[in-house]
Amino acid sequence: MEPLRADVVVAGFGAAGACAALEAAEAGADVLVLDRFQGGGATTISGGVVYAGGGTAQQRDAGVTDSAEAMYAYLRHETGDVVSERTLRAFCEGSTEMIRWLERHGVPFEGSLCPDKTSYPGNRHYLYYSGSEASGAFREVATPAPRGHRAKGRGTSGKALFKPLAAAVRHRATVLPQTRVRRLLQSADGTVTGVLATTLRDAPGWARATHRVLGQWSAKPGIYVPALRKLLNRRVAAIEARFAREVEISARGVILTAGGFIANRDWVREHAPAYRGGLQLGTAGDDGSGIELGRSAGGATAELGRVSAWRFLTPPSAFLGGLLVNARGERVIDESRYGAAVGEELITRHDGRGWLLLDDELVRRARAQRDVQWFQRLQTRYLLRRGRVVGSSIEEVARRAGIDPGGLAKTVAAAADGPDPMGKPADFTHRLGTPPYSLVDVSIRPSLAFPCPMLTLGGLVVDEDSGMVLDGDRRPIPGLYAAGRTAVGICSRSYVSGLSLADCVFSGRRAGAHSGRTLRELDKNENVF
């Protein structure tokens, strides 16, 4: 197979890869995008939510007042010091422009504000509180505002986000699907000069078609059935082993955007052993291969132990009035916190076990809520039927659930007196009253009916001005960039819905723009001499 050549090679065609390719192409670079499958990655199976604020058009349409400073104050408190103050401010101050940029490339958004606090809105609403902004501790930090901008599309909106971006990329760059990067090429001084890949480009049509279908099924519904995904991936690998041919691709810049490593069980076991039994929120491509490519070139890694595990208590919104307790009957967390904060608290301090205490009124309100996604409706039905025990008193329901009755009684008494002990805001609190009482099991365990989605947050360490991969001495590796979940980014310490996709856009654009500008400057200098 003849060698290929491009100015910039993008390895991985999800949101980060698409945004990197667009910016590099707009800077004048000849861009080649590679993907082991057909593109989309974890983006297409996501909720399609982009975290943005500071006064976007959608916020204004919904009558929401927000500022970049309020957004920064919340995220600084939420994400810690995982990125510098300067980078986080740049992200917040460029947030409204980021949404406009996505809209120019065809991504649809809408300022229809969800009236309830929820993990994900129904099909009538596309702007919502997607983090802990309205929770007790965070209200003291900054004025809360809804910043979850969901791409407009029915169901989960990941495809509505990725499809127009992919179309825009194909107008400006070359996309080579079913191509897997195996190795980075480097010169004697360590500069990355291209990639060595295997591709099905010249394979028989039936082999490419079969590979495409198997890859699609592996992503979904395979995400929900690990055994099916494993079987499909073995067949994918068999096709690649038989028909893929090696190709060398020369480039002056390589951008790694191949996702995280949630699909790599060995890595998860090594770096985050407490996070097991969850639903792998990613595709077979989220196997750490992009991170490993960067490490092979001398790249440093960080935050590999950080995993986002989501135990959402809503919808239904009535569940916010309940009390989340552990096996000792003790309160776990402010129930209005974002699902990843709830999941982390359960996993790291309570062995993944938790029960939500409700009274009769909360159960009736939960059953009455209608504006939810189909899978949320099924989960609520499961929790209120098979995941619930009932008792006529606090002591009785505790005994039936296997929880310490005395501890639960003390927790209920503490919540009934004055402000909520966990700081839950008054508009989410509910004084438990009419029996029967229910304890709903929300423990984190393998479950198709009530899964706990998980994704990895760490990756390659990058320069925050350029996106270039840094080595162990914090020096940039010439010609090598990383973005999205292949790199450490804004959400790598703490995640809220939409922050990963927003960081994919932010970091992807940064890497693409810098690589394109750098090549343009090099060409100018060569022309001068």
Side-chain angles (χ1 to χ4, degrees):
M1 185 174 292
E2 290 293 323
L4 301 177
R5 183 174 185 83
D7 291 331
V8 175
V9 167
V10 179
F13 191 27
C19 294
L22 286 170
E23 286 287 7
E26 289 172 7
D30 174 33
V31 180
L32 176 62
V33 183
L34 310 176
D35 194 90
R36 183 184 179 187
F37 298 102
Q38 296 296 314
T43 299
T44 56
I45 60 174
S46 76
V49 179
V50 178
Y51 194 90
T56 66
Q58 292 73 28
Q59 288 178 315
R60 294 196 305 273
D61 289 345
V64 172
T65 300
D66 194 17
S67 68
E69 187 59 38
M71 180 180 175
Y72 169 83
Y74 167 69
L75 287 179
R76 180 86 288 175
H77 196 67
E78 181 77 78
T79 64
D81 61 353
V82 69
V83 297
S84 68
E85 176 183 343
R86 182 164 53 88
T87 296
L88 187 57
R89 285 195 180 279
F91 172 74
C92 295
E93 291 168 1
S95 183
T96 57
E97 188 275 333
M98 174 180 67
I99 293 294
R100 289 196 297 268
W101 184 86
L102 289 170
E103 287 180 309
R104 287 198 300 272
H105 290 295
V107 181
F109 295 102
E110 180 180 283
S112 46
L113 179 62
C114 183
D116 300 313
K117 182 173 174 59
T118 183
S119 60
Y120 192 77
N123 290 323
R124 293 188 294 169
H125 303 108
Y126 292 90
L127 177 68
Y128 73 115
Y129 284 93
S130 63
S132 293
E133 301 92 344
S135 300
F138 292 93
R139 290 190 182 192
E140 301 173 4
V141 173
T143 302
R147 302 189 183 102
H149 289 64
R150 173 187 165 203
K152 189 173 182 181
R154 294 186 63 81
T156 50
S157 301
K159 289 183 179 179
L161 174 71
F162 181 73
K163 186 176 180 180
L165 285 178
V169 170
R170 290 188 172 96
H171 277 97
R172 296 167 174 81
T174 301
V175 178
L176 187 58
Q178 298 177 312
T179 301
R180 188 175 187 180
V181 176
R182 299 290 187 173
R183 183 163 60 86
L184 294 176
L185 303 177
Q186 291 180 274
S187 63
D189 65 357
T191 299
V192 173
T193 59
V195 302
L196 188 67
T198 53
T199 181
L200 294 175
R201 185 183 65 174
D202 298 327
W206 70 264
R208 285 184 278 115
T210 303
H211 185 278
R212 180 174 64 252
V213 171
L214 292 175
Q216 291 170 346
W217 288 354
S218 171
K220 214 171 186 179
I223 184 176
Y224 303 114
V225 189
L228 174 63
R229 170 176 280 190
K230 188 175 182 180
L231 173 64
L232 296 175
N233 289 340
R234 280 203 300 264
R235 295 184 176 180
V236 164
I239 291 173
E240 292 171 342
R242 181 179 176 186
F243 294 106
R245 296 294 178 262
E246 193 172 88
V247 59
E248 183 175 303
I249 305 171
S250 300
R252 295 193 288 171
V254 173
I255 306 176
L256 302 174
T257 57
F261 62 90
I262 194 62
N264 189 323
R265 298 175 111 186
D266 292 337
W267 279 31
V268 172
R269 192 179 298 115
E270 176 186 355
H271 298 291
Y275 291 85
R276 59 189 182 276
L279 183 150
Q280 297 175 358
L281 190 58
T283 69
D286 288 283
D287 59 357
S289 54
I291 299 171
E292 187 56 39
L293 286 169
R295 289 207 298 199
S296 71
T301 58
E303 308 293 342
L304 296 184
R306 296 298 299 172
V307 173
S308 182
W310 309 345
R311 176 47 83 226
F312 288 115
L313 303 180
T314 60
S317 57
F319 278 4
L320 292 175
L323 302 178
L324 180 61
V325 298
N326 61 19
R328 296 183 297 275
E330 301 164 339
R331 194 85 169 275
V332 171
I333 196 173
D334 168 3
E335 293 78 12
S336 69
R337 289 289 304 279
Y338 178 68
V342 176
E344 181 176 14
E345 187 70 16
L346 285 173
I347 289 172
T348 60
R349 299 188 182 183
H350 304 279
D351 297 323
R353 303 180 69 197
W355 293 261
L356 190 63
L357 178 64
L358 309 169
D359 64 7
D360 184 58
E361 178 186 346
L362 291 177
V363 170
R364 284 189 286 105
R365 283 165 46 190
R367 284 176 169 153
Q369 185 167 341
R370 292 289 178 266
D371 184 24
V372 295
Q373 298 287 347
W374 66 269
F375 61 89
Q376 295 169 329
R377 187 177 301 109
L378 291 179
Q379 288 176 3
T380 301
R381 187 177 302 169
Y382 167 81
L383 291 174
L384 292 179
R385 290 183 179 178
R386 300 190 61 184
R388 178 172 70 119
V389 296
V390 180
S392 59
S393 68
I394 295 297
E395 291 75 13
E396 181 184 0
V397 75
R399 283 193 297 271
R400 289 187 174 181
I403 290 175
D404 177 46
L408 185 61
K410 289 180 181 178
T411 294
V412 172
D417 297 329
D420 185 82
M422 287 288 181
K424 183 162 64 175
D427 43 340
F428 297 135
T429 58
H430 170 81
R431 183 163 183 166
L432 294 173
T434 308
Y437 299 106
S438 300
L439 277 167
V440 176
D441 191 345
V442 294
S443 300
I444 295 172
R445 60 169 67 94
S447 170
L448 184 59
F450 190 45
C452 179
M454 297 183 182
L455 75 158
T456 58
L457 302 177
L460 296 165
V461 179
V462 296
D463 175 74
E464 293 184 16
D465 292 324
S466 64
M468 295 184 72
V469 176
L470 301 180
D471 64 17
D473 295 321
R474 310 288 295 188
R475 296 174 302 192
I477 298 173
L480 185 61
Y481 298 80
R485 297 288 57 78
T486 302
V488 173
I490 291 165
C491 69
S492 291
R493 192 73 54 77
S494 179
Y495 174 90
V496 298
S497 283
L499 196 56
S500 180
L501 283 177
D503 184 50
C504 284
V505 177
F506 176 77
S507 62
R509 293 182 67 192
R510 175 180 63 191
H514 189 273
S515 62
R517 286 197 309 267
T518 299
L519 295 179
R520 188 168 57 195
E521 291 301 319
L522 288 173
D523 290 341
K524 284 182 180 178
N525 292 336
E526 288 177 3
N527 290 334
V528 168
F529 294 101

